Amino acid sequence: MTRPIYKLSALAVKAAGPGKYNDGAGLWLHKRQDGGGQWFLRITVHGRRREMGLGSIADVSLKEAREHAEQWRAFARKGFDPIKEREKQRREAERNLHCLADVALDAFESRKAELKGDGKAGRWFSPLELHVLPKLGKVPVSDIDQIDIRDALRPIWHSKGETARKAINRLSIVLRHAAALGLDVDLQATEKAKALLGKSRHTPQHIAAMPWIDVPEFYRTLEVPTTTNLALRMLILTAVRSGSLRFMRYNQIEDDVWTIPAHQMKGRLGQTADFRVPLSDEALRIVELTRPFDRDGFLFPGLRKGVISDMTMGQHMRKAGLPYRPHGFRSSFRDWIAERTNAPREVAEISLGHVAGSQVERAYRRTDYLEQRRQIMGMWAGYVTGEEEAIDENF
């Protein structure tokens, strides 16, 4: 093969002004106004002229540019498109560079907007961080198969069933994220791993809930207006989650409605709207009782800073010798609705902040049943305080 006759020299490359310069055999230099420049190769493949960048003159010398050009001309002579071939090589290289830990973090970052508080609590990522990444984090994501996943999760599959379920679901999301990045992964690996692991023997433990019939007696024990007692009373009266309650602010209350910002609701996909909670007369009385404790606009401030902790109310109940948890009052409230009212299911579920009905039903429903829920909350407050209101015939 005839050796190309080159036209440029290293000195000429350095001294050249702005413009395009042909070195020969399709290798060109494009010099810019700022003194920088790029190498590129003009080549014909399958009757089409292609231009292929070979790097900047700051990183690639004239000698290296000629070597790269000859390498890609050889591919073209064999009938391969050098640009597509380089892209193929790049993807193959990335396959070995993208370890699971990096892809998992990237997937987490991309989902933060869907998670409560941008996922700062760590609950989305922690199952992976604790049970998958220590064993598979450094493995290229394209190499991970069902055997790897099975071996990583087998120690907790039967003993920590819920955690294992979350871990394998999160891992499935990470693999889909890797596929979206263009990496070659087995999207069925997690389902295959489940088949290998078998059905979990773990029996989920439901949160212990106080029977609704016992709630009034417990409510009476909270008469002393401490921050913890007032928080528990408001938790019972509103049936919200403790996370929303702890961050309750005075400026979120207008008349008898407390509006919980969407980001303070439970982090679930599709939770984009604020949630209105009707406050009974008893709940409004509790609001006034919290005024002496006001700090930074919070109804239930912590002892030194911030707000009351998530454990404070639970500790109070344990010290009282009760086997129940604060979150269980939501179940107490739901059971009371079922036993003592005729409220429609969708009204009862929305009272708890749950998504009710199918996606189509929710698309056409434009109400949050505030008026019906206002009556239910008034009836519930009357029940827990021992001053039960008359039950409307509609409920």
Side-chain angles (χ1 to χ4, degrees), residues 32 36 62 67 80 103 140 152 177 192 196 205 223 227 239 245-246 259 271-272 284 295 297 335 362 390:
R32 301 192 305 269
L62 173 61
E67 291 173 351
F80 298 113
V103 177
H177 186 79
K192 295 173 186 176
L196 294 174
Q205 299 294 318
E223 185 175 352
T227 300
L245 179 103
R246 292 186 301 110
T259 301
Q271 179 61 55
T272 58
L284 291 172
R295 187 174 68 232
D335 290 344
R362 296 197 302 273

Side-chain angles (χ1 to χ4, degrees), residues 63-126:
K63 180 182 177 181
E64 290 172 329
R66 288 169 177 171
E67 291 173 351
H68 294 335
E70 178 53 35
Q71 172 193 348
W72 295 118
R73 281 194 294 264
F75 272 99
R77 286 194 294 270
K78 294 177 182 178
F80 298 113
D81 185 327
I83 295 178
K84 291 184 178 180
E85 183 65 25
R86 183 170 63 180
E87 182 64 19
K88 178 182 176 182
Q89 292 181 9
R90 182 190 65 79
R91 288 196 301 267
E92 184 65 21
E94 286 183 347
R95 174 184 179 276
N96 297 319
L97 291 175
H98 283 86
C99 64
L100 178 64
D102 292 337
V103 177
L105 283 170
D106 194 54
F108 177 50
E109 288 294 326
S110 71
R111 293 180 63 84
K112 277 187 175 180
E114 302 173 9
L115 305 175
K116 180 180 179 181
D118 286 338
K120 291 179 181 177
R123 293 180 181 175
W124 192 92
F125 196 69
S126 60

